[in-house]
Each structure stands twice: as structure tokens, then as C-alpha cells.
Amino acid sequence: MKVERRKIRLTNRAGAIVGGAVLLFAVGTNVQAGWVLVIAALLLGILAAGIVLPLGSIRGIELRRHVPRRATAAHKVPVTISVTNTSERARGLFRVSDDFCGPGWAVVDLMSPGQTRDYLGAREGARRGVYTRGTMTIETGAPFNVLRVTKSAVIESPIIVYPRVFDVPSHRLRGPSGLHAPAAVGDVSTVREYKPGDPLRHIHWRSVARRGELMVREFDREQHADTTVVADLPADADVGDAIASVACSLAIGALSAGEVALVSARAGAERVRSTERVLEWGARLGAERPARTLLDAVPAGTAVIYAGPAQTTEVDRLAELAAGTSVIAVLIADGAGQRRGAAARLRASGASVATIRPDEVEAWFSSGCAVA
Amino acid sequence: MVLKRLRRRLNRVVADDAMIAYRATTAGTVVVSVLAAVTQQAVSGFTGVAAIVLVPVGFAFSFWRRRERNILLKVVLAIALFVAFGAFINAVRFAGNVDDARAPLVAVFLWVQVLHSFDVPRARDLSFSLAAGVVLIALAGSLAFSTGFIVYVVVYAALFIAALVLAYHTDLRSVDGALSREIKAESRERLSRRSLMPALRRVATLGAATVLCTAVVFVFLPRLPAQQVAALPFSLPRAASDIPGFDGEVAFPDEEGGGGESEVGSSEAFDPDTYFGYGESMSLRVRGRLSEDLVMRVRTPRPTLYRGQAFDRYDDGRWSSSDTELEEVQRSGEDSLHLPTPRAQLAGDEIVQTFYVERELPNLVFHTQRADEVFIETTRVRIDDHSSIRTPFTLEKDTIYSVISELPNVSASELRSTPTIDVNDPRFAQYLDLPPTLDGRFTELARRITRAHPTTADKAEAVERWLRQNKKYQLDISRDPPGRDPIDVFVFDRDEGFCEQIASTMALMLRASGVPTRVVTGFGEGERNLFTGYWEVRNSDAHAWVEVFYPSVGWISYDPTFGVPLASAANTTFMLAPLQKIAGSFPTEALGGVSRAASRVMGALPGPGWLGAPILVLAIAAAAVALRNRRRTRRHSSLDAPARAVEAWLALEKALRSRGWTRADHETALEFAERLSPVYGQVGTNVRKVAEEFSEFRYGTGRDGEELARWEEETRRTAQKIRAPGRGTALLRPR
């Protein structure tokens, strides 16, 4: 454990003890009362011992942190703090603090030489991102809390925290007004059960008459209009996390229909087929700005799902895209006044727009991802 | 706004943190501090018992109600606090001085503790209890003058330290009121022997470190003289009855307890419990060692000689007072007795001393020189021409009295500048009188010693120097040949003598040289008890010294015994002495028989027994010290006389530096001594004497090794006296 920072400070209790001792010394001298001087000496002795003892009381303490390789934002992350006493003396009565994946701390009682102790905590409030290391702090004032000695060290523990994702209602993924509208071409290969969102023209009436339930034709080649999900993150972390959540949730929903193109300022455009890749993409999203416009990376002829801030600068480009393809824009507003403006302009250009606040993301998904 | 805040505070529900151990230790500290205050009789028995019972009850009640708002309880406690404070104000209104206010102060703090113990829901409330406990035990300590108080201090310290550690535990586990967020992953194992040892070692380390730090701090804590803020005097009622027909005679306590005249002083029989220097006369033919009984404790801003009687008439080995018609001094409506001011006074330093009598004593009001005011529970005292104060009752155990004196503060140069007296002045006849039992050779010797010194101060110093160079202090000396004057025998036939002989010789030699003198008896300053701060005076501290009269100044004390070297080393072995000192420091009142038994066992050494370990440690330490001393002695003996003189002088300079006196580069040793002599009292005079001889040893020739060794010893003792001020030493620093 490499100590990065060491801090020593006297506490208020030290001041109180010194004040009391000085007062008793003055009184004891004044009335020539030796026992009062003994009490004053006791206070100063406690002060001296309380200053000397903490200085070496955390020497030889090694810290480690054990975390899972992957976690999801806003879910509890199990973090284990591992404390080892590598010294040849008993150590203890100190506190280990760690802000990795959320605040957590543990109080360490007396430890024998060579002993290791694990403290398990479920950290709340982990944010989306990729982390490799974090600072752990060990603090002691033992035994009298007149001097606080604090040591900080950077501890390696890689973890990727995925953005929080929500289920997208299936009718939002299919159908004419869906996020993903397939187009049938070629010969009929088979007949299957009807699913909400299937075009009515694909119903196979003969099979319906024979089986008594709605059946639709499936074609040997069904050409889907490809979907591109664009995540445009601003500097605001809360808004950024909400955008990542929206983008990843919709991308995962779109994956059920095939490949999805993901566009971000950090990674450019990439095509993905698996949920895990989408989540990793969402964890790595950053607030960088592209040289020109983010939407230049959108492959031609694809439906576009744009997740970005309400005050986005991509309004003009989105409006252009909306003239030629299906565009759905989910704008995250961190202020009430931001709900207007960009959204109105996009709607006028034919795009479907939803404007929500960061704390409304979950509700938006559970209410059916309404767009207008 | 304030009401809103108050309501929010009252409505706040306290976090459910039991802190049982912290509560218990805090309650323990409070109980011990209350117990300490009660045993010092700072409060009445009823209050004490009530407090001792109510404090634990209060803590238990507070624990039970810790989650409640307790608004009604808070109101009741607030009212009770007002009542307690009102009682304190009422008591203090009638207090004559700060000392009288101490007992009510203890009482009010005690009630604050009791009431507060009913409402200690949070950690910070417990902190307040701890702080108030410190104040209470300190107040009790200010009233304690017994070493037995150490029992309370030790128990209190242990609980206080434990409470501080537990407070830290509590603090460690709560961040913003929350409890620990991490759970120890491993199962909580019971303390096995393996895990118990580190815990015990840690507790031992903590205890040892705290005790060591406290001891070091206590040793190095400066013991400043309380000259700037003198403690005010006070007196307590006495139990003894007045001596029937009291007309000022010295009376000794008899077994019936009523007090009565005694012939102790006039007899030549020695009683180890009663000093032969008190009474109608003092015989120099009496021999013997006085007992080590504690006779009184003295609270004084600086150590002084405590005079009891003075004698001006010497005849055939016996001192007596020519004044038999003692003046009566009566209290005139005040708390104190104002004494008639002695003639030829110069302003001095006011000094307040309080005497706690521990064993019955004669009816003498012991005091430092020039008593002005006496606080004692009587309406009248008698005083003779020599400022010997007599009470109409003998001093019983537990008698307490205070005396305000004006200690002469006059420099050596001022004394030298005073004119000599007219030897024919009839006022000084009694102080110049020489007995016929001393023949002409005594007078001739005295005049030879003082001939070269024109002033009274120089004469006195010359006689002191002669005594120092020619006599040694010894208590066990043989009886004088019958028919001869004890002083004649001491001066011409003996090399050794005791303080009465040394003082008498100086007084009579100065009389022979035309200087008025008288011999004073009383007690030396005793030994300071580091724990209590009181000077403990034992029967064996009974002492005799000389007062010399200076026109326009008055009587000035000289203690010629101080400079006289000891005839032999202490009558105890090298190893036994410190052991006996340790045994003597046991809290005898508390441990009683155990301490006495320990002393007896130590006295009967060798025999390891349970004392084996400490004896071994002491033996190792003693061996180390002996080895170091041997090396020093070897190195020292290899030096020549000038080098030895320089070494001794440098040690003295070092001691003076520790008191703020530094010799300037351009100053010679003598110039340096001359500079500090006028303002450093008796020690300054001693330094000057040492400096005078230093020049001879350093640059002169012809002095023998024995003289050098004596001078070195004297220099060492002077340095010791400077570091640890003793008899007649004022702790002055350069202005």
C-alpha cells in the first residue's frame, strides 16, 4: 500500500485538555495545592500519550479492496475491504473509509499481528463508468482522540459500472409507429403466431381459419430498416447518466430486431449485436464533443434514435435527418425551461420527440415510452 | 427563531446508541469524584451520601429514558439547578475569602453532577459529565493534604482514561450519526487466549504510556511560588479549652488534654517527642534524636523557617528569655489579631502561611519572621519582646491557623551599609550580654575572627565561615564534662555539634564582637510533599538559628547550620535509603498497616519476598549509578586542584542558569556572585562565599586537598539548594 498523503491534526479535545490543565495549574499554584497539580499533570500526560500513541498505531496496516468486475449503476455494489496487520504488534481502533462505488467505511477493532479482516459492504450510489482505482483512507485517534492521524492510499480494483437500463415495451419496437419497422420482401417461408405490432397485411387468413387464432406470414428475407442509436452527453453527470440509460435501453430493445449502430463522441460509430457490448458502450460514454457534428457518423438510411440534452446543438442536423428517415429524439432536460425550443423545432420537422427530466427516466419507460 | 431551534432540538430523537461501557465508566468517574469531595469534608455527610446514591441512579434512569424527549424532566432539573445555584450564592455571600468559598463551590458542582446524571442521553452529555468530574476532583484535591488522596486519584485516573478511550470508540463508530456501514465479513469469534494477549498488551502499553507521560509531566511541572497571588488565610474552630490562668507562659499538652505548664524546656532529660528548645529555657546539655512524627503541614508560597520562641539570655549552658511580662493582644471585632509592629522595620515581602497541626504542640504560634496578623480561633494571644506568640490553649491535632508575615527583603549591600550600634545603648544590653562561664579565650577568638570585618554583616559572615570551616554537624555527640560551659567545650574541644550549639556559638561570638543577637527556636521548612503541595514538618525538623540586629532594619535571620558540613553520611545504607523513601511515600492513611508492614519489611532487608522485583530493578539502577559515579570519581581524582575547582564552579553556574542567572563573559566569578548576592538572599551569600574561595583554588597555591574537598562539597550543596530551594531560600529571578 503506497501512502499518497499523510495528515496529522490536533482535535478540539486536545484544546480542551490543554485549557483545563492550564487552568488547574494556575489554581494549583495559587492555592499551593499539589493534588490539583497532579490532576493537571494527569491531563497533560493523557495529552502527551494521546499525541504519541496514534503516530505509530496504523503502521504496517495494508488495505485491499475486492469488487466484482461488473456492476450496474444505482444497484448495490458488494465491496469488500480487506485489512491486514503486517506489523509485529497488535493494531486497531481505526477507521477505514472508501468512496469507491459509493461511500463506505469500517471500524477496525484490535488486530493481532499478521491477521487479516474482511469488511463487506453493499455500496449504494455507484455511477456509470469504468473505474480502475480509488482512494482509501485510514484514520485513527486512538486511544484518546486528541490527535488524528490520517493516511490515504490509492488502491487498484478495476470495475465497469453499466448504466441502468429499462425494458422497452414491445409495441414500441414494432409496428408503423414503432421504433423499428420491418419491411417484408421475398417468398413466404413459414407462418407464425401474431405478435402485437405485426402489420395486418401479413395475416395469413387461411391459417387463421384453420387454427382459430391470428397467424402471420414470415418471409425468408425480411429487411429491417437499421437503427442507429446516438448518445450525446453533456457535461452534467446526472443528465449524462440519464442519456446513457435511455440510449442503452432503447439500443437493447432495438437489438431484438438485429444489429444496431451506436454513435457517440468518444467511440464514433460502431455496430453491435450483443447486449453486453451495448452496456459496455454505455458505461464508457463520455461528455466529449466531436469536431463537427455527432450525427455525421450516422449511417445513411437508418432510423435514428437520438438521446441527448434538451439544449442540444444537433437540432438542425436532426431536423435534416427527420426529413429522410424515422427519427426519435429523447431529450433530457435538467430545467423546466429547457423543455421547449429544440423539441418544438424537431416536432415541426417530423421527428418524434420526448422530453423528460433525469429523474423521470424510469417512469417514462414504465409508462410506455410516449413520444409526440 | 430561537424557539424554533429549541423546539427542533427537543423534538430530535436521540440515536439509539446505548454506549453502556462509556456510560458506566463516566458514572464511575463521577462517583469517585463525588466520593473524593465527600471524604475531604467539603460537603455535609447527608449531601455526600445522597450524591453517591443518586449519581448511579441518575445514570441508570438516563439510560432507561435515553430515547425519550424528557421535557418535564429537563424542566425539573433546570429548577433544581437554579435552587442549587441559589444556595451557592447564598453561601458565598457570607464567605470571608476565597478559601471559605471553596466548600460551597464543591457543593454546587456536586449537585450539578447529581442533577446532570439524570439527563445524559448523548455522548456529548457524557463528555460534560467527564469535564465536570475533573473540576470536582480538582476541588477535592485542593482541600486534601493527605497522601492518601492518591487512592482516589489513581481510581479516578483509571476510569477517566477508560472513559476517554470508550468515548473515542463511540466517536469512531458514528459518522454523521450513522452506524458502521461495513459488516465484518468473518464471524465474530470469542476472545480466545491467543487474541486476548494482544489486547492485554495493548492495554498495558496504553496504561504504561499514560502513567509515564503523567509522571514525566508531573516531575517537570514547574512549582512556582505563589507570590503574585497569595492564598488567603483561613482558620477552623479548635477543640481545646483555654489554659487556666494563662499569662503567656509556654504550655505543653498533657495527657488529660487540657494543656498545662511543663518543665520540658528546663529539664536536661531528653524526650524524643518534644523539642527541648521550647519552654522557659533551652539547655545545650540535652542530647538526643527527635522522633520523625509529623507535627504539622504548612501551606506556604515559599519555604521559610518557622519561629516559635526566641532567647536573649545565656547562662551556664542554658538560654532563656528576659521578657516575662508578655503583652496581650486582643481581637478587636475582626477575624484576625493584629500584632504590634516590631521596631526598626523595613518593608518586606508579604507572605501568607497556613499551618495544619497534625500532632499536639505547645501553645506557640509558629510563623515566619515578622508576623503582622494571625488568624486563629481565639480572641487573645500574648506576645513577648522577641515576637514569640503564645495562645491561651495548646495546639491540638487538627488546629488550623494562618499568619500573614512580612519577610525582610534586604540586600547584603544594604545590610553592609547600616551603621553599627552603640554598644553602650542600654536597649541592647541584654542582646550583648556574655556569660561569665565563657572565659577570655572565647572572646579573644571571636574578636580575632571578626577583627578584619568592620560591618555587622561581614562579622556575621566571618563567624559563619569559621564555623563552616572548623565544625561539623553531628547529633550524636557525647555529654559535656561537668562544670564546663557547653559552648566552651564545643568551640575549643570538639569538632562536631548540633544546631543549638552552632547557633549559640555564632550568637555569642557576635555578642563578643559587639553585635546584638538572639537565638531562635522553631521548625525548619520540612519537606515538600510533591503530591499535596504542603510542606510536611516533622518533629525532627525542630531547629535553632540566630537573629542579628541591624539598626534601621531590624532582626535578620542567620542559619549558620546550613553551611556546616555533615560529620558523616546518612545513617542508612546506599540501597535502603531510597527504598525507605518509597515506603514512606505510601498513602499511610489509606493503606494503613500495609504501608507500615512494607516499611518494616524493607527495613528488614535482605529478603526478596514480594519485593524481589522492585528491589532487583532498584539494585540494577543503583549499580548503574554506582558505576557512573565510580567513573566520574576516577576521572575527577585524576584532575588537579584548579581543574577540580573549575568543574565544581561550572556546575554551580549551571544551577544558577537554570534559575535565570547567567554569568556575563566579562564577569569574574566573584563579580558574578557580587551581582546576584544582594537579591538572592541566603543562597546569594553562599554563592559569594563559594566564589571567594574559588579564586583561591583556581589561581592560588598552598590549599590542601581536604579543604578543596570541603569546598567542593559546599559548592555542590549550594547548587542543590539553588535547584531545589530549601531553608531560607528565596526563588528570585533576575528582574
Side-chain angles (χ1 to χ4, degrees):
Chain A
M1 189 178 89
K2 187 182 173 188
V3 175
E4 296 280 311
R5 202 171 53 140
R6 184 186 164 104
K7 197 170 137 191
I8 296 173
R9 68 178 173 87
L10 285 170
T11 63
N12 291 341
R13 180 174 287 178
I17 287 177
V18 169
V22 169
L23 188 67
L24 290 181
F25 176 73
V27 172
T29 301
N30 183 25
V31 299
Q32 293 288 298
W35 285 117
V36 179
L37 297 182
V38 171
I39 306 286
L42 172 67
L43 291 183
L44 291 174
I46 285 171
L47 179 75
I51 287 174
V52 172
L53 289 174
L55 293 175
S57 66
I58 49 177
R59 197 172 293 149
I61 296 295
E62 291 287 338
L63 300 176
R64 283 190 184 81
R65 183 195 302 116
H66 303 291
V67 292
R69 301 280 299 175
R70 295 174 185 81
T72 303
H75 289 191
K76 288 186 176 177
V77 182
V79 178
T80 302
I81 295 173
S82 196
V83 184
T84 305
N85 177 12
T86 63
S87 74
E88 294 181 352
R89 293 172 180 272
R91 300 277 189 243
L93 291 182
F94 52 84
R95 180 164 56 204
V96 179
S97 306
D98 185 20
D99 277 340
F100 192 77
C101 291
W105 50 270
V107 172
V108 182
D109 291 325
L110 202 62
M111 293 178 73
S112 305
Q115 192 179 8
T116 297
R117 229 175 246 171
D118 292 334
Y119 295 86
L120 175 63
R123 305 278 174 87
E124 291 178 4
R127 296 197 88 118
R128 175 192 61 85
V130 178
Y131 304 99
T132 54
R133 60 175 69 97
T135 303
M136 288 177 82
T137 304
I138 182 168
E139 182 182 23
T140 185
F144 302 130
N145 198 22
V146 294
L147 185 86
R148 285 274 179 161
V149 178
T150 307
K151 285 182 185 174
S152 301
V154 174
I155 308 292
E156 303 276 343
S157 54
I159 185 174
I160 180 164
V161 180
Y162 296 150
R164 194 179 177 193
V165 291
F166 305 94
D167 288 336
V168 181
S170 55
H171 70 276
R172 279 288 167 216
L173 299 172
R174 296 173 187 282
S177 61
L179 299 172
H180 182 74
V185 291
D187 300 327
V188 175
S189 60
T190 184
V191 178
R192 60 169 174 79
E193 286 180 3
Y194 173 83
K195 290 179 185 172
D198 284 340
L200 290 176
R201 68 176 182 276
H202 289 177
I203 293 174
H204 191 252
W205 293 108
R206 261 192 296 176
S207 298
V208 173
R210 190 167 57 242
R211 302 176 77 171
E213 55 184 5
L214 280 176
M215 302 295 286
V216 293
R217 289 168 292 174
E218 270 199 334
F219 296 86
D220 57 350
R221 281 193 299 127
E222 194 173 64
Q223 184 183 326
H224 297 268
D226 283 347
T227 305
T228 299
V229 177
V230 180
D232 183 8
L233 270 69
D236 187 297
D238 289 336
V239 174
D241 285 353
I243 289 168
S245 276
V246 168
C248 287
S249 301
L250 294 175
I252 290 167
L255 272 179
S256 63
E259 206 174 58
V260 173
L262 303 173
V263 174
S264 67
R266 177 172 289 177
E270 57 179 312
R271 304 187 81 83
V272 296
R273 290 173 182 275
S274 69
T275 304
E276 194 170 319
R277 288 290 299 133
V278 173
L279 289 171
E280 200 167 313
W281 171 78
R284 294 179 191 280
L285 284 174
E288 296 93 345
R289 301 304 307 167
R292 288 180 58 230
T293 169
L294 190 62
L295 296 172
D296 284 351
V298 173
T302 59
V304 176
I305 298 174
Y306 173 84
Q311 65 274 33
T312 178
T313 55
E314 304 282 356
V315 178
D316 293 339
R317 186 73 182 112
L318 273 174
E320 279 175 31
L321 284 172
T325 186
S326 168
V327 172
I328 294 175
V330 182
L331 303 179
I332 307 296
D334 58 356
Q338 295 172 354
R339 286 173 179 263
R340 296 187 295 274
R345 170 83 193 284
L346 288 173
R347 280 195 194 100
S349 68
S352 300
V353 181
T355 307
I356 52 176
R357 286 206 307 269
D359 55 351
E360 292 172 344
V361 171
E362 187 173 5
W364 184 71
F365 277 102
S366 59
S367 65
C369 304
V371 291
Chain B
M1 188 69 181
V2 176
L3 284 174
K4 209 175 195 179
R5 204 177 300 157
L6 183 66
R7 197 176 66 182
R8 200 183 311 138
R9 189 175 166 177
L10 287 173
N11 287 339
R12 190 168 53 200
V13 177
V14 176
D16 183 20
D17 189 359
M19 307 179 291
I20 293 174
Y22 183 22
R23 284 172 191 278
T25 47
T26 305
T29 60
V30 175
V31 169
V32 172
S33 62
V34 169
L35 202 60
V38 170
T39 50
Q40 299 313 311
Q41 298 173 349
V43 289
S44 68
F46 171 76
T47 308
V49 172
I52 290 165
V53 171
L54 284 175
V55 166
V57 170
F59 270 91
F61 178 81
S62 175
F63 176 71
W64 176 50
R65 300 272 303 173
R66 69 187 185 280
R67 289 175 216 162
E68 310 299 328
R69 290 174 193 162
N70 298 321
I71 295 172
L72 184 64
L73 175 73
K74 288 178 199 295
V75 171
V76 171
L77 293 181
I79 292 169
L81 272 175
F82 271 114
V83 171
F85 202 70
F88 168 70
I89 297 290
N90 196 41
V92 168
R93 260 192 327 154
F94 299 106
N97 51 55
V98 173
D99 277 308
D100 288 346
R102 271 196 288 178
L105 194 62
V106 174
V108 76
F109 257 98
L110 191 142
W111 282 113
V112 165
Q113 284 285 38
V114 170
L115 295 170
H116 183 253
S117 66
F118 280 85
D119 187 30
V120 281
R122 287 175 290 260
R124 67 175 179 190
D125 300 312
L126 295 173
S127 299
F128 176 82
S129 283
L130 276 180
V134 172
V135 175
L136 192 56
I137 199 162
L139 282 169
S142 74
L143 294 170
F145 46 77
S146 156
T147 316
F149 195 73
I150 197 170
V151 173
Y152 298 107
V153 172
V154 167
V155 176
Y156 180 84
L159 288 169
F160 185 69
I161 289 167
L164 284 180
V165 173
L166 291 167
Y168 170 65
H169 272 240
T170 307
D171 185 51
L172 202 60
R173 281 175 168 75
S174 68
V175 171
D176 301 330
L179 297 178
S180 176
R181 288 187 180 143
E182 311 288 36
I183 303 158
K184 202 193 289 185
E186 64 186 4
S187 61
R188 183 176 287 276
E189 79 258 47
R190 295 182 62 184
L191 277 179
S192 63
R193 181 175 293 179
R194 198 175 163 190
S195 60
L196 191 63
M197 282 311 290
L200 290 176
R201 268 203 293 272
R202 194 172 171 89
V203 169
T205 306
L206 169 64
T210 310
V211 168
L212 183 70
C213 290
T214 302
V216 169
V217 170
F218 183 65
V219 167
F220 287 99
L221 209 61
R223 304 306 198 273
L224 303 177
Q227 284 172 319
Q228 306 304 320
V229 274
L232 290 167
F234 71 102
S235 61
L236 291 182
R238 62 183 173 88
S241 54
D242 279 7
I243 300 163
F246 171 69
D247 61 358
E249 74 280 7
V250 177
F252 291 82
D254 59 15
E255 297 214 343
E256 285 71 39
E261 287 185 54
S262 169
E263 293 301 313
V264 172
S266 57
S267 166
E268 288 180 13
F270 179 75
D271 177 2
D273 291 328
T274 309
Y275 178 46
F276 57 88
Y278 307 138
E280 296 310 308
S281 63
M282 175 178 72
S283 171
L284 299 184
R285 292 192 172 88
V286 180
R287 303 279 189 280
R289 286 180 178 275
L290 289 164
S291 68
E292 292 292 325
D293 291 351
L294 184 68
V295 292
M296 58 185 179
R297 290 184 167 96
V298 186
R299 193 176 72 181
T300 173
R302 56 178 133 157
T304 60
L305 297 166
Y306 311 119
R307 64 199 303 282
Q309 276 189 270
F311 302 102
D312 60 345
R313 195 164 55 199
Y314 180 79
D315 188 28
D316 192 23
R318 183 178 293 278
W319 283 97
S320 61
S321 174
S322 59
D323 183 19
T324 53
E325 300 294 325
L326 278 73
E327 183 184 349
E328 183 167 279
V329 178
Q330 291 197 328
R331 185 186 289 180
S332 55
E334 296 178 15
D335 291 340
S336 60
L337 293 147
H338 288 271
L339 304 174
T341 309
R343 66 193 171 200
Q345 292 285 318
L346 275 185
D349 297 332
E350 187 178 87
I351 183 169
V352 184
Q353 296 174 321
T354 302
F355 298 78
Y356 301 80
V357 179
E358 291 293 329
R359 209 202 67 178
E360 62 274 13
L361 286 171
N363 61 333
L364 295 167
V365 175
F366 294 95
H367 61 276
T368 199
Q369 205 177 357
R370 292 188 187 169
D372 281 344
E373 207 173 345
V374 178
F375 294 75
I376 194 164
E377 201 56 31
T378 183
T379 55
R380 63 189 176 117
V381 292
R382 282 185 181 271
I383 184 168
D384 69 5
D385 286 346
H386 315 303
S387 301
S388 173
I389 308 163
R390 323 277 169 85
T391 56
F393 52 86
T394 54
L395 302 184
E396 295 294 314
K397 186 178 184 314
D398 296 333
T399 303
I400 301 175
Y401 68 88
S402 297
V403 182
I404 299 179
S405 304
E406 201 167 358
L407 200 61
N409 183 8
V410 56
S411 67
S413 59
E414 281 175 315
L415 289 179
R416 276 196 198 90
S417 64
T418 57
T420 53
I421 59 134
D422 178 4
V423 292
N424 297 318
D425 188 336
R427 288 182 301 159
F428 302 117
Q430 75 220 54
Y431 302 113
L432 293 169
D433 188 36
L434 281 170
T437 46
L438 287 175
D439 54 22
R441 62 175 179 164
F442 179 84
T443 312
E444 189 184 332
L445 174 65
R447 286 178 183 162
R448 197 170 68 235
I449 292 167
T450 59
R451 187 180 301 143
H453 305 283
T455 67
T456 301
D458 289 335
K459 286 182 201 298
E461 285 175 21
V463 173
E464 274 190 310
R465 189 159 51 244
W466 183 85
L467 284 166
R468 201 166 54 242
Q469 291 171 350
N470 294 282
K471 301 295 173 189
K472 287 180 178 171
Y473 183 80
Q474 174 65 277
L475 274 175
D476 302 318
I477 56 173
S478 59
R479 291 204 167 273
D480 298 324
R484 287 192 60 191
D485 190 290
I487 294 302
D488 189 65
V489 176
F490 173 66
V491 170
F492 295 107
D493 297 347
R494 293 187 196 277
D495 293 330
E496 299 168 351
F498 42 86
C499 62
E500 290 76 15
Q501 292 176 323
I502 295 167
S504 300
T505 302
M506 180 176 177
L508 294 173
M509 278 188 168
L510 287 175
R511 284 187 179 192
S513 309
V515 177
T517 59
R518 61 190 181 193
V519 167
V520 183
T521 56
F523 285 108
E525 80 276 11
E527 194 172 357
R528 184 170 191 177
N529 185 320
L530 280 178
F531 292 112
T532 63
Y534 290 86
W535 289 84
E536 293 180 344
V537 180
R538 300 186 179 277
N539 201 32
S540 55
D541 289 320
H543 192 50
W545 61 96
V546 182
E547 285 182 353
V548 177
F549 185 79
Y550 287 85
S552 77
V553 173
W555 293 96
I556 296 293
S557 294
Y558 282 82
D559 184 7
T561 311
F562 165 71
V564 175
L566 295 175
S568 61
N571 60 341
T572 183
T573 63
F574 173 73
M575 192 171 145
L576 197 57
L579 287 177
Q580 284 172 340
K581 199 167 179 62
I582 292 167
S585 69
F586 272 99
T588 50
E589 293 80 352
L591 301 178
V594 177
S595 171
R596 283 191 291 277
S599 298
R600 264 190 228 115
V601 170
M602 286 184 179
L605 283 176
W610 62 273
L611 286 170
I615 288 173
L616 188 66
V617 171
L618 281 171
I620 292 168
V625 171
L627 191 67
R628 193 192 65 176
N629 285 349
R630 194 177 162 201
R631 281 184 183 165
R632 273 190 186 174
T633 311
R634 276 188 179 175
R635 194 181 70 82
H636 190 69
S637 59
S638 66
L639 298 175
D640 57 10
R644 282 169 62 180
V646 168
E647 192 173 76
W649 173 257
L650 288 177
L652 182 67
E653 275 195 0
K654 191 177 173 186
L656 284 163
R657 265 200 306 277
S658 71
R659 291 281 169 201
W661 293 95
T662 307
R663 183 173 65 84
D665 290 340
H666 59 81
E667 280 182 320
T668 64
L670 200 57
E671 286 170 344
F672 177 44
E674 287 285 354
R675 178 158 64 86
L676 65 90
S677 175
V679 288
Y680 212 173
Q682 183 66 38
V683 170
T685 311
N686 292 339
V687 172
R688 200 170 60 79
K689 287 173 194 168
V690 167
E692 278 171 5
E693 293 192 72
F694 166 70
S695 304
E696 291 180 41
F697 288 117
R698 173 70 180 87
Y699 304 108
T701 52
R703 302 290 291 266
D704 62 24
E706 197 178 326
E707 282 180 321
L708 178 60
R710 179 199 52 75
W711 175 82
E712 281 176 326
E713 175 64 16
E714 194 174 317
T715 309
R716 191 184 60 77
R717 287 177 63 188
T718 306
Q720 272 183 352
K721 206 78 177 171
I722 291 163
R723 284 200 188 91
R727 183 181 299 162
T729 306
L731 282 174
L732 293 177
R733 282 181 178 277
R735 295 189 182 97

